[in-house]
Amino acid sequence: MYSATFPDWKRIGRRIGKKLRDVLGPHPNVPSPSVEERRAQRLRDALVGLVYFDTFKELELWHPTNVDPIQQANQPLLPRVSNVHNHDGPKTRLLLCHDYKGGYHEYESVRPSPLNSESYSCKHLQYVDTFVYFSHKLLCIPPPAWINVLHRHGVEVLGTFLIEPQTPNMDRLLMKTNGKFTVAKQLTDMADAYGFDGWLLNIEQDAPVTCQDWHRNLVDFLDELQISMSKHKKVLWYDALTTEGDVYYQNGLTSMNRPYVQSTSGLFTNYKWTEKMLAQSELFAVELGIPLTRIFFGIDVWAQNTDMPGPPRVTYPPVGGGGTNTGLVSFSRL
């Protein structure tokens, strides 16, 4: 029997592996914009309806009175009018995660100029249940132009809360004001103020070692956030941070992400699942009483990062990616 102080070599190995990938991986020599440049760009974008936040300080200082009407969606979420995909009892639900060239492009603003280059569009919306607007910001508010179009087709729209490995001040996620989680209140108020339907939470950074009871406090945070949302709004957990406090993609529903999934509306898995992992997740979800339609298995339609360690990413087409035939194959696969 091992003593209570015996090293967790598996966990140590994962952390060493991540550090080696950071050191040995490619680092393009592209200068990052300064804090002042990012702030100026954020203010310019806000004038045309594009809203995002780069830091916890910006998030904490936000107030509903800061919202300009041009930044707000004005189209409520409409019910489905097509029988192609029935919301009342679907066997499979489809989530589309937007991640196109950094996001917040001019053609997505409320004052777009004529299109003269390639742009991202979303077709066959009768098959899409949920749309996530994703960008590499701390907080991504979906542009109102996207929200209005998607709501007219009965598609719910989620913003993204993203903590990346380099994001500073992660400990502020669980700070409280008057006994309530500050960030949870801000996320709830933002979804209401800007007119979208919830959040994808993606924490890609290990928990601060200085924070005691991180796991328990994080579950409390998720409970409070989900409860504070109306019954029509959702919080999805992305498969990254585990109950052990480190980033270790599970590629399915496991005991290491179960508490977070049970506290939220569902799970968006990483892209390296296998048929075996899918079957195991299904059995575990049934055991826990979690509806299978609350678990979204990630498919990388562009086949990115296929050279990373571990099982290959699930991509369609299987060779080369490219985004074609994805919808048809994902329905038959899941």
Side-chain angles (χ1 to χ4, degrees):
M1 178 180 294
Y2 297 128
S3 70
T5 59
F6 193 82
D8 185 348
W9 294 114
K10 186 176 181 180
R11 186 176 184 183
I12 293 171
R14 290 200 300 267
R15 296 199 173 192
I16 292 175
K18 284 188 289 187
K19 293 294 184 182
L20 286 175
R21 288 197 294 274
D22 292 341
V23 172
L24 300 178
H27 292 276
N29 189 22
V30 179
S32 300
S34 66
V35 173
E36 292 74 18
E37 290 171 332
R38 289 199 303 271
R39 184 182 297 114
Q41 183 61 55
R42 191 168 72 88
L43 292 175
R44 288 193 295 269
D45 287 339
L47 293 175
V48 292
L50 304 178
V51 181
Y52 51 86
F53 300 86
D54 291 316
T55 68
F56 276 96
K57 182 177 181 180
E58 293 170 353
L59 165 61
E60 292 160 0
L61 291 176
W62 178 88
H63 189 271
T65 56
N66 302 146
V67 179
D68 189 304
I70 66 168
Q71 300 164 352
Q72 296 174 298
N74 54 23
Q75 173 63 64
L77 177 63
L78 298 181
R80 294 282 183 170
V81 296
S82 170
N83 293 325
V84 173
H85 195 44
N86 185 359
H87 265 282
D88 294 331
K91 295 182 179 179
T92 301
R93 297 175 68 87
L94 183 65
L95 179 151
L96 179 61
C97 187
H98 164 286
D99 185 5
Y100 185 68
K101 295 184 177 180
Y104 298 107
H105 301 283
E106 184 182 11
Y107 70 84
E108 299 174 303
S109 74
V110 296
R111 298 169 185 162
S113 59
L115 294 176
N116 54 16
S117 61
E118 185 180 59
S119 63
Y120 181 97
S121 63
C122 182
K123 300 179 180 179
H124 309 297
L125 289 174
Q126 70 269 30
Y127 295 109
V128 179
D129 295 284
T130 304
F131 180 92
V132 176
Y133 193 86
F134 184 94
S135 180
H136 288 275
K137 313 289 185 183
L138 175 68
L139 204 67
C140 306
I141 305 294
W146 271 114
I147 301 172
N148 288 335
V149 168
L150 293 160
H151 275 183
R152 281 197 292 272
H153 289 82
V155 180
E156 60 189 13
V157 185
L158 307 185
T160 303
F161 180 79
L162 172 65
I163 296 181
E164 298 188 275
Q166 72 277 12
T167 302
N169 304 315
M170 178 182 173
D171 56 302
R172 292 167 77 162
L173 171 65
L174 301 182
M175 289 181 61
K176 291 186 176 183
T177 303
N178 298 325
K180 298 291 185 180
F181 290 102
T182 305
V183 172
K185 182 180 187 306
Q186 295 294 77
L187 294 181
T188 301
D189 290 347
M190 285 179 179
D192 290 336
Y194 293 108
F196 59 99
D197 309 300
W199 295 96
L200 171 68
L201 301 186
N202 184 2
I203 301 180
E204 301 268 1
Q205 184 180 141
D206 293 344
V209 296
T210 56
C211 293
Q212 295 182 349
D213 300 322
W214 169 267
H215 163 64
R216 181 175 56 79
N217 290 334
L218 180 57
V219 171
D220 290 344
F221 167 85
L222 295 174
D223 285 337
E224 185 173 306
L225 175 60
Q226 184 65 75
I227 292 171
S228 66
M229 295 280 190
S230 72
K231 64 179 181 179
H232 302 295
K233 296 187 185 295
K234 294 185 176 179
V235 179
L236 280 184
W237 178 260
Y238 184 75
D239 168 28
L241 189 70
T242 71
T243 54
E244 293 185 358
D246 58 357
V247 175
Y248 184 33
Y249 306 104
Q250 300 298 289
N251 299 291
L253 176 65
T254 74
S255 60
M256 295 178 72
N257 57 32
R258 172 193 58 78
Y260 306 143
V261 180
Q262 290 182 313
S263 293
T264 57
S265 307
L267 173 68
F268 181 176
T269 78
N270 190 46
Y271 307 96
K272 291 193 173 187
W273 49 272
T274 63
E275 295 282 359
K276 181 179 179 181
M277 293 175 179
L278 192 153
Q280 291 173 336
S281 295
E282 180 179 359
L283 290 174
F284 196 32
V286 171
E287 176 186 334
L288 297 172
I290 297 175
L292 299 180
T293 50
R294 285 175 52 186
I295 305 175
F296 296 90
F297 286 85
I299 297 175
D300 184 358
V301 299
W302 300 111
Q304 301 176 86
N305 302 324
T306 55
D307 58 344
M308 295 180 69
R313 284 191 170 201
V314 178
T315 63
Y316 287 105
V319 178
T324 57
N325 298 326
T326 306
L328 295 176
V329 181
S330 63
F331 272 108
S332 64
R333 182 69 174 269
L334 299 182

